[in-house]
């Protein structure tokens, strides 16, 4: 079979680029541990036994430092647990959230907190509440008939 010289050059060039990209991707993923971009990390959890697994067997707010809190939360159809929390002004809150059923959202309007809550994964996001007020946490992933009722409140005072 006759392959034109230019065609041969392009085939070699194309194959070399493909190989190069795969090597770069492989090094990034396996040697450097790169993952998709985002401000939060997550780890896996069995969604079937979430409610018996620490720390999700006791959702709630715990103080972990000087005006620093950990908020362990569950998202479910159609709400969040706990359904209200209160922190002082200036509090830094580390949200640790998972879902007991389907994919939900976790968005606090007027802040940059906005992430997905996926069953089987634990999402962690940190936010400092500098202004006093009532902050609404809303679900922004359609999750069923009462999706728009899904909310919780964080009172900062
Ligand atoms: Cu949960 Cu929409």
């Amino acid at each position: 079979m006759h392959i034109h010289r230019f065609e041969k050059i392009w085939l070699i060039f194309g194959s070399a680029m493909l190989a190069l990209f795969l090597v770069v991707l492989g090094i990034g993923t396996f040697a450097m541990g790169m993952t998709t971009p985002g401000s939060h990390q997550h780890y896996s959890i069995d969604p079937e036994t979430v409610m018996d697994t620490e720390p999700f067997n006791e959702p709630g707010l715990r103080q972990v430092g000087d005006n620093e809190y950990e908020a362990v939360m569950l998202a479910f159809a159609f709400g969040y647990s706990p359904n209200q929390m209160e922190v002082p002004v200036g509090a830094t809150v580390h949200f640790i959230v998972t879902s007991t059923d389907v994919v939900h959202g976790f968005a606090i309007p007027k802040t940059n907190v906005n992430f997905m809550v996926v069953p089987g994964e634990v999402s962690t996001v940190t936010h400092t509440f500098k202004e006093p007020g009532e902050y609404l946490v809303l679900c922004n992933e359609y999750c069923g008939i009462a999706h728009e009722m899904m909310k919780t409140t964080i009172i900062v005072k």
Side-chain angles (χ1 to χ4, degrees), residues 103-105 139 141-143 147 150:
V103 173
H104 296 285
C139 177
E141 296 287 333
Y142 183 74
C143 55
H147 154 74
M150 187 168 166

Side-chain angles (χ1 to χ4, degrees), residues 112-129:
N112 59 2
V113 177
N114 186 354
F115 57 95
M116 272 168 94
V117 185
V118 180
E121 290 197 11
V122 177
S123 300
T124 61
V125 168
T126 296
H127 184 71
T128 300
F129 293 90

